[in-house]
Amino acid sequence: MTPYQTIIYEKQGPVARVTLNRPDVLNAYNVAMRDEMYEALEAIRDDPEVRGVVLCGAGDRAFCAGADLTEFGTAPSQAIARQVRWERDVWGLFTSLDIPLVAAVHGYVLGSGLEIALLCDIRVAAEDAVFGLPETSLGMLPAAGGTQTLPRVFGPGPALDLLLTGRRINAREAYNLGLVAKVVPRYHLMAEAQAVVEGILASGSDVLRSAKRALQRGMDMTLAQGLELEARMALDIFRARRGPIPAWRGAVET
Amino acid sequence: MTESSHIFKTILLSRAGPKARIALNRPRAGNRVNPSMTEELAQAAEFINQDDSTRVVTLTGQGQSFSSGWERIRFDSAEELARHRAAGAIARIQKPVVAAINGDAIGQGLELALAADIRIAVATAHFGMPQVRFGVLPWDGGTQRLPRLVGRAHALALLLTGAVIDASEALRIGLVHQVVEPQQLEAATDSAVEQIASTAPVAERYAKETVMKGMDMTLEQGLHLEADLNILLHTTGDRAEGIRSFRERRPPKFSGQ
């Protein structure tokens, strides 16, 4: 079902899977991939059947080792480069999706690769995953939102550490920092990511959308504004339901 | 010596010197929150705020649970919703609040704990925000206080999956500050409460204010607030006493002035 060259787009029931597919170059993110990712995300946004997304990388060695540096400096001019970023705002499209996004990462998760994973809601990592933001050591800045998403995901302390030192961390450290929610053996990665997204989808789409919106919009507000937003959204959800909500009864699953 | 100050039905409020203790008191119902409890927590918070002798508050649950969440619930208007929002009362307490989490804190029960300043939990406690599993959104501050406490990633994982986690995982993600064996909860809580009670009251209040308000500001604005409140503290006798006691190598005697 995919006409794409640099990614694979598949649908399995309500779950869409987007695979970064340039394994020969460690799935390096290039202009073609940007354009195709943009189209795939638009398709996801506009497809009411799609209720969750798993994002992953093809091949054995990398989720995505970063931007394709061979294309750097090839834009006709800075003005055009900026114009294109504006018109094909793939990162803005990521954050505008209100369905759960799960990144299944393995191998190198560097630069743009890490930033793409950070634009997802939940990250599941294979034991061999290696994370890092090498941009500053190359005289650049992360450009896919990393400077903003990183501190919001796990606090400004570790974010500055990774950004300023450019050091790489392994899956275990990423787990301890809260960067990834789970670490699993490589062979189990896709099954785990699928299980995570299916587990989430056991709850209704409306309430998941509201939960994600309340949390993401609320983080950009004062607490008082966030609490008002939550009250409005909770009320809408309750009004849309029939009958009372039963109390939670102790069956504890961990 | 404990002095009972108010007669409540769904909570217990007791005081001993500078320490107040609020215990959710519906043990046979898992300390589930209902409108009476919401109302009584608001009254207790109001009382504590106006009582100058109270310096620090412990929030805990009677029986096995801290709080298992909500009662069978339904609301259709903002007014009804307000009767089911209890965490704001805890958050409005101007004095430090230590949650002694004696058992499971689930859903709205966890939302109550999130409104406290310091959380100490027993190793047997479980934590979760399973509201989405019931098709509803947390309505007592959970979507806002959780990410501010544990970061967006952990908050989204808890909120979207509705997973229930144990105390060691709660400690790992920063949801609680300390995990102790059940028989040590009282001692660990007392230790934190005593430390707080021995500090200067005005400085303590300002510290809470700068952190809470500062989180809603830009860094620059927050630094200004901190500087301003520091200057204001220069006018207090307690600050002078603190400096004097340090010079004289003795414990300070704070008056709250």
Side-chain angles (χ1 to χ4, degrees):
Chain A
M1 94 187 263
T2 174
Y4 299 121
Q5 306 298 313
T6 63
I7 64 172
I8 302 167
Y9 178 63
E10 301 161 286
K11 267 167 64 178
Q12 296 170 345
V15 179
R17 181 181 288 188
V18 178
T19 308
L20 308 179
N21 190 31
R22 300 182 73 210
D24 296 346
V25 289
L26 303 175
N27 296 320
Y29 184 80
N30 66 358
V31 169
M33 192 185 276
R34 177 200 64 199
D35 290 344
E36 294 188 350
M37 180 96 91
Y38 190 85
E39 287 168 30
L41 292 175
E42 278 188 319
I44 286 167
R45 183 193 60 195
D46 298 337
D47 184 345
E49 280 177 15
V50 175
R51 297 181 51 221
V53 181
V54 174
L55 199 70
C56 59
D60 292 332
R61 296 175 57 207
F63 169 73
C64 170
D68 190 338
L69 295 180
T70 63
E71 286 183 351
F72 273 48
T74 59
S77 74
Q78 281 87 345
I80 288 174
R82 183 171 185 277
Q83 177 72 17
V84 171
R85 260 191 95 82
W86 183 255
E87 286 167 356
R88 290 247 144 159
D89 179 17
V90 66
W91 317 127
L93 193 48
F94 256 104
T95 56
S96 74
L97 292 179
D98 50 17
I99 55 177
L101 309 177
V102 175
V105 301
H106 72 283
Y108 293 113
V109 189
L110 302 177
S112 315
L114 176 51
E115 296 180 272
I116 289 168
L118 285 165
L119 288 164
C120 296
D121 301 315
I122 296 178
R123 284 154 292 281
V124 181
E127 285 164 342
D128 66 356
V130 176
F131 303 85
L133 287 173
E135 282 86 347
T136 52
S137 54
L138 299 169
M140 299 184 291
L141 268 185
T147 66
Q148 301 305 306
T149 51
L150 217 61
R152 283 171 170 79
V153 164
F154 54 52
L160 278 170
D161 175 15
L162 290 188
L163 275 167
L164 300 182
T165 66
R167 74 188 179 90
R168 292 179 182 184
I169 60 173
N170 62 23
R172 183 54 46 189
E173 195 177 346
Y175 177 74
N176 288 335
L177 282 173
L179 178 56
V180 302
K182 277 185 179 169
V183 179
V184 296
R186 174 77 181 89
Y187 64 84
H188 196 52
L189 178 65
M190 292 318 296
E192 185 64 36
Q194 189 72 20
V196 167
V197 78
E198 281 171 9
I200 291 172
L201 295 185
S203 297
S205 293
D206 289 351
V207 71
L208 290 173
R209 190 177 302 123
S210 297
K212 189 169 163 174
R213 278 188 189 151
L215 202 143
Q216 294 195 322
R217 290 188 193 163
M219 288 289 279
D220 286 340
M221 297 176 172
T222 66
L223 179 60
Q225 291 168 332
L227 290 171
E228 272 178 41
L229 173 73
E230 182 191 84
R232 281 199 305 277
M233 296 182 91
L235 196 53
D236 285 345
I237 291 284
F238 266 77
R239 279 179 174 148
R241 285 178 54 97
R242 283 199 204 115
I245 314 305
W248 187 85
R249 301 276 165 208
V252 168
E253 330 155 44
T254 48
Chain B
M1 196 184 80
T2 298
E3 169 200 342
S4 229
S5 36
H6 272 64
I7 303 302
F8 292 117
K9 291 198 175 73
T10 62
I11 62 173
L12 296 171
L13 173 63
S14 54
R15 287 182 304 151
K19 298 179 278 186
R21 179 176 180 275
I22 299 173
L24 308 176
N25 190 31
R26 303 184 67 222
R28 275 182 291 181
N31 293 321
R32 289 192 172 83
V33 181
N34 64 11
S36 306
M37 189 187 279
T38 301
E39 174 62 31
E40 292 188 347
L41 282 173
Q43 289 171 13
E46 174 75 16
F47 177 82
I48 287 167
N49 278 340
Q50 291 184 0
D51 175 30
D52 287 341
S53 67
T54 297
R55 298 279 322 281
V56 54
V57 182
T58 304
L59 176 69
T60 191
Q62 290 292 107
Q64 297 297 306
S65 305
F66 177 76
S67 169
S68 298
W70 59 94
E71 288 288 2
R72 202 173 133 83
I73 188 171
R74 171 88 221 165
F75 48 78
D76 290 294
S77 67
E79 294 72 33
E80 283 177 89
L81 168 57
R83 284 201 293 277
H84 294 286
R85 287 192 120 187
I90 304 301
R92 276 194 302 278
I93 296 176
Q94 288 154 8
K95 300 156 191 191
V97 179
V98 178
I101 302 173
N102 57 301
D104 293 354
I106 305 288
Q108 200 174 4
L110 179 52
E111 293 181 288
L112 282 182
L114 291 176
D117 301 310
I118 294 175
R119 279 158 293 278
I120 302 172
V122 295
T124 50
H126 293 88
F127 302 83
M129 279 290 183
Q131 285 90 334
V132 298
R133 293 272 167 198
F134 293 84
V136 296
L137 199 63
W139 57 89
D140 211 359
T143 68
Q144 302 307 307
R145 290 198 178 94
L146 195 59
R148 283 169 171 78
L149 185 64
V150 302
R152 195 172 72 182
H154 291 308
L156 269 170
L158 281 173
L159 277 166
L160 294 180
T161 64
V164 171
I165 61 172
D166 62 17
S168 62
E169 176 71 357
L171 181 66
R172 186 184 78 80
I173 68 173
L175 186 54
V176 300
H177 305 264
Q178 195 183 347
V179 172
V180 297
E181 291 306 317
Q183 63 272 20
Q184 292 163 349
L185 179 64
E186 200 176 328
T189 307
D190 279 351
S191 161
V193 161
E194 290 295 340
Q195 274 178 348
I196 292 167
S198 67
T199 60
V202 184
E204 192 78 3
R205 204 156 61 232
Y206 284 2
K208 182 164 174 174
E209 186 179 333
T210 45
V211 171
M212 296 310 291
K213 288 198 179 148
M215 292 287 285
D216 285 343
M217 297 177 172
T218 65
L219 178 61
E220 196 183 349
Q221 291 168 330
L223 293 173
H224 277 299
L225 174 66
E226 182 188 273
D228 289 347
L229 291 181
N230 257 302
I231 302 295
L232 207 48
L233 276 181
H234 284 200
T235 64
T236 63
D238 278 352
R239 183 172 180 277
E241 163 63 9
I243 293 168
R244 215 161 36 233
S245 70
F246 180 78
R247 287 204 186 117
E248 295 166 9
R249 299 180 186 190
R250 60 171 174 80
K253 291 193 192 98
F254 293 123
S255 64
Q257 304 295 312

